[in-house]
Amino acid sequence: AMDRPTDQPSHELVTVAAAKPFPFTAPRGRLGLLNIDWQRDFLEPGGFGDSHGNNISLLQAALGPTAALLKAARAAGMPVFHTLEAHKPDLSNLPPSKKRRCSAIGEVLDQSRGRVLIEGEPGNAIVGAVAPIPGEIIINKPGKGAFWNTEFEDELRRLGVTHLLVTGVTTEVCVQTTIREANDRGYECLLVTDATESYFPEFKAATLQMVVAQGGIAGWTASTAEVIPAIQAAGGMAPVEWEADGSGDGTMQLDANGEQCVDRSGARSVAVKSSSGPLERPAPPESVPAAARAAADRLLSSPLVAEANASARRVIAGVQPMLKAVLPAREVVGAFAGGAKTILHAGPPVASFQDMCGPMQGAIIGAVLLEGWAEDAEAAARLAASGALTLQPCHQHSAVGPMAGILCPSMPVLVTVDASGSTAGAAYCSLNEGLGKVLRFGAHSPEVLARLRWMCDELGPTLNAALARLGGLQLRGLMGMALQMGDDGHNRCKALTALLLQALSPALMDCAAASESAATAASKAATFLSKNAHFGLNVAMGMCKLSLDSISGIPHCTYATAMARNGLELGVTVAGDPGTWHVAPSPAVTSAVWFSGYNPSDASRDLGDSAITETLGLGAPATAAAPALMAFVGGGAPQA
């Protein structure tokens, strides 16, 4: 961990000037205290540590400095975390190898202390001098480090903590393991030298040297005499409120393949929203108004609703989504009939162009330029503001679009139909442009428009010709395989994209045989798909839209048929009440990771139709299928 620049003014920093190997700085509201394994089993006579012949007085000597640091942290309002090396009573989280090396775990060595290193046993409690108080977070860890097989990182992310003051025992085992785990995850740690101890003084000394070696390879060290004044000088350090939560740690980047990745080598310091204090959990279900709870109970207990919902499940199960064609939107989407100057957008309706969020306005300007309705961006903005354009939600026309969700007449759309024949009509979605500067984020520069024109003139017709040769692509099987290969159907569609390219490749090669120009177009199409891991997202969105439209209009059905955001409002439609948008303010972006140079004040509220995937049960509900995505957003399979 090298010295990292910060964009925080000096008065917003906690600075330990005397820290080694150089001054330690942490943003106020992002600093927490971590106390590791101050438990009776390790520190008291007759305990587990004492039973091995260790000199427990060495560990006890660090309790006084730790208690003083804990008092200062509490006074400043810092988040405080306590860990215990503790295993479940059934030993289900005790690796056999650990049991073989330490057979005493789970056994009773002293009746007054109960089973060794087992959750809830008397000997497993934290000693009184540094015992937690209500509201402080206790982490039971079955390993040496605090991150493995625990919810610790979830709690750090929830509270927006990126920097830690670390105390605990023993220095060379659980403390060092945790610091190295934290370092690998991008957290900054300062080990408090007199608030940590070992049964072996030489091991402690070696660990302190290793932490700060080579410019702070694992972190910083300083004493309580140096740390406590820094805390006191900084004043209150509870997490700071933002309208948009920036609890994601690191900087968003695009890798060599154009995919999103997080660079945690230069973690930004962005405060996290904490409207009810740093240690409060979200409001329990009991906070739901009684009238709303009663209405929900009546619906859920209604035989009519139960029968309608069962019917809806059967209908959706019978839909066989097929990607049938890629055609200009004007040829298939009813909103564009007759040459009307119409543009479709994501989410529920918005009153006017002037009322739209910035990314959506920018995307509409780009669509106007793509259609040739204006000569430049200023003229396009004037046209849009004049009221001469018809602006409507994609969802009202059997269509969906990611982010700004813009569809205009010239754009090619994926045409998805029901191969079973039981559902009439089709669903439509734009082609995914890739990442970087793209229309769906509001960009309309010459390079964005050039890519869109290529998609209109060449990519769309090439893909349509390939699909015609195949007779269409059945999507349910491809989506099932993609989930088994690590996709969730929304944020990660890399496997689905690869499967689509695999299925399309033979037909693209057939197309290439027609002429030299056809060969060039087919090659460019295949290259584009191979470099755009998000291409499959739009295919998944069309599939989900078709499936959910099939149940729209079933009387008494309470299933949502759309959840969509326009940057201002979140809208939900329900099968039993078709055509009605139920709206609320669109949520602020949460747990965000920002591109370099940006922070929560730059963010739009949530927008896009892509939550159609969650509406059907893909995306977030399927996160457990996507290990790479879990690593990206934090957490693990139990949380997913």
Side-chain angles (χ1 to χ4, degrees):
M2 305 302 289
D3 193 11
R4 297 179 178 178
T6 176
D7 57 3
Q8 295 282 336
S10 59
H11 69 276
E12 295 182 0
L13 296 173
V14 182
T15 301
V16 183
K20 296 178 180 178
F22 47 79
F24 172 84
T25 59
R28 291 174 56 201
R30 302 285 267 178
L31 180 63
L33 173 62
L34 172 61
N35 291 335
I36 297 175
D37 296 1
W38 292 106
Q39 55 204 83
R40 295 180 61 201
D41 276 332
F42 297 146
L43 280 93
E44 291 187 349
F48 178 57
D50 189 36
S51 71
H52 285 271
N54 294 312
N55 182 358
I56 60 173
S57 67
L58 294 172
L59 271 59
Q60 293 170 345
L63 280 173
T66 302
L69 179 59
L70 178 59
K71 180 179 179 181
R74 287 169 174 165
M78 286 171 53
V80 178
F81 308 87
H82 304 263
T83 73
L84 291 162
E85 185 169 355
H87 305 86
K88 295 183 182 299
D90 63 1
L91 305 185
S92 60
N93 62 348
L94 173 63
S97 58
K98 186 176 181 180
K99 175 66 173 176
R100 285 194 296 270
R101 293 194 308 273
C102 189
S103 59
I105 297 177
E107 308 301 325
V108 177
L109 303 182
D110 179 340
Q111 291 292 339
S112 67
R113 298 176 188 280
R115 299 168 68 197
V116 171
L117 302 185
I118 299 299
E119 294 178 12
E121 296 288 350
N124 201 234
I126 296 173
V127 297
V130 292
I133 61 175
E136 294 176 350
I137 295 168
I138 301 172
I139 305 294
N140 289 321
K141 60 180 185 65
K144 305 304 182 188
F147 288 85
W148 180 72
N149 203 14
T150 74
E151 68 278 16
F152 181 44
E153 189 166 18
D154 291 337
E155 295 292 351
L156 292 175
R157 293 175 67 84
R158 181 176 69 85
L159 297 173
V161 172
T162 57
H163 294 62
L164 289 166
L165 303 175
V166 182
T167 80
V169 296
T170 61
T171 311
E172 75 280 8
V173 183
C174 294
V175 173
Q176 180 176 208
T177 301
T178 297
I179 288 175
R180 292 186 180 276
E181 285 184 333
N183 181 61
D184 286 345
R185 289 164 172 79
Y187 295 94
E188 306 280 40
C189 295
L190 183 150
L191 176 55
V192 186
T193 56
D194 53 339
T196 182
E197 269 301 341
S198 169
Y199 298 123
F200 307 98
E202 66 275 19
F203 291 176
K204 174 184 175 181
T207 302
L208 294 179
Q209 292 174 12
M210 286 189 285
V211 167
V212 301
Q214 301 180 49
I217 195 168
W220 289 258
T221 62
S223 68
T224 52
E226 296 158 340
V227 173
I228 291 175
I231 294 174
Q232 294 169 336
M237 284 188 286
V240 182
E241 292 189 19
W242 281 88
E243 183 67 16
D245 158 354
S247 60
D249 184 30
T251 303
M252 178 69 76
Q253 293 186 347
L254 302 183
D255 66 16
N257 296 317
E259 294 190 55
Q260 292 166 308
C261 63
V262 180
D263 175 13
R264 290 193 169 97
S265 66
R268 292 179 55 79
S269 300
V270 182
V272 65
K273 183 177 180 181
S274 180
S275 59
S276 54
L279 300 173
E280 292 294 326
R281 297 281 187 176
E286 286 70 18
S287 64
V288 176
R293 185 184 295 276
D297 288 342
R298 286 195 300 273
L299 282 174
L300 294 175
S301 62
S302 165
L304 289 174
V305 168
E307 182 179 349
N309 288 351
S311 175
R313 292 193 296 272
R314 289 191 295 271
V315 169
I316 287 179
V319 174
Q320 296 292 329
M322 172 184 281
L323 180 57
K324 187 65 176 177
V326 178
L327 296 170
R330 68 166 67 88
E331 296 183 12
V332 287
V333 179
F336 304 126
K341 289 183 177 179
T342 297
I343 295 176
L344 305 184
H345 61 79
V350 184
S352 69
F353 175 79
Q354 292 90 329
D355 293 320
M356 290 177 168
C357 66
M360 190 171 286
Q361 288 182 339
I364 287 177
I365 290 171
V368 170
L369 294 173
L370 180 66
E371 295 298 330
W373 296 337
E375 293 184 357
D376 55 39
E378 290 185 3
R382 288 196 299 270
L383 176 67
S386 71
L389 302 179
T390 299
L391 305 175
Q392 294 180 338
C394 288
H395 271 291
Q396 290 182 198
H397 300 279
S398 301
V400 283
M403 301 305 291
I406 298 303
L407 276 183
C408 57
S410 297
M411 285 184 178
V413 292
L414 301 157
V415 181
T416 306
V417 300
D418 182 4
S420 74
S422 60
T423 301
Y428 312 102
C429 188
S430 57
L431 299 182
N432 192 284
E433 305 162 78
L435 293 173
K437 293 181 180 179
V438 290
L439 187 77
R440 69 179 183 273
F441 293 155
H444 50 260
S445 63
E447 63 185 283
V448 173
L449 294 173
R451 186 194 307 113
L452 288 170
R453 291 188 179 105
W454 169 74
M455 295 172 76
C456 294
D457 298 339
E458 190 171 298
L459 179 62
T462 300
L463 293 176
N464 187 58
L467 287 168
R469 281 171 166 77
L470 294 170
L473 279 179
Q474 292 276 0
L475 296 179
R476 176 172 287 186
L478 290 180
M479 179 57 74
M481 285 189 284
L483 293 172
Q484 292 176 328
M485 295 166 65
D487 279 0
D488 73 331
H490 184 169
N491 290 290
R492 189 182 193 273
C493 289
K494 188 172 186 176
L496 180 58
T497 300
L499 291 167
L500 288 166
L501 180 57
Q502 180 187 48
L504 288 167
S505 290
L508 287 172
M509 287 188 285
D510 285 347
C511 293
S515 66
E516 184 176 345
S517 61
T520 300
S523 175
K524 289 173 67 176
T527 300
F528 180 76
L529 265 66
S530 70
K531 293 183 177 181
N532 179 6
H534 288 261
F535 187 86
L537 167 60
N538 295 44
V539 177
M541 289 174 61
M543 179 188 105
C544 293
K545 174 63 173 170
L546 178 78
S547 300
L548 290 163
D549 275 0
S550 70
I551 64 171
S552 182
I554 295 179
H556 309 295
C557 180
T558 60
Y559 289 148
T561 51
M563 295 188 294
R565 304 89 72 208
N566 59 25
L568 302 171
E569 292 180 317
L570 162 70
V572 176
T573 59
V574 179
D577 187 20
T580 301
W581 286 98
H582 305 270
V583 299
S586 183
V589 180
T590 61
S591 300
V593 182
W594 308 97
F595 283 104
S596 180
Y598 294 89
N599 62 48
S601 65
D602 300 307
S604 169
R605 287 185 173 271
D606 199 11
L607 76 160
D609 289 337
S610 57
I612 192 70
T613 57
E614 277 78 10
T615 313
L616 188 64
L618 299 176
T623 302
L629 185 59
M630 286 186 276
F632 180 82
V633 301
Q639 290 76 34

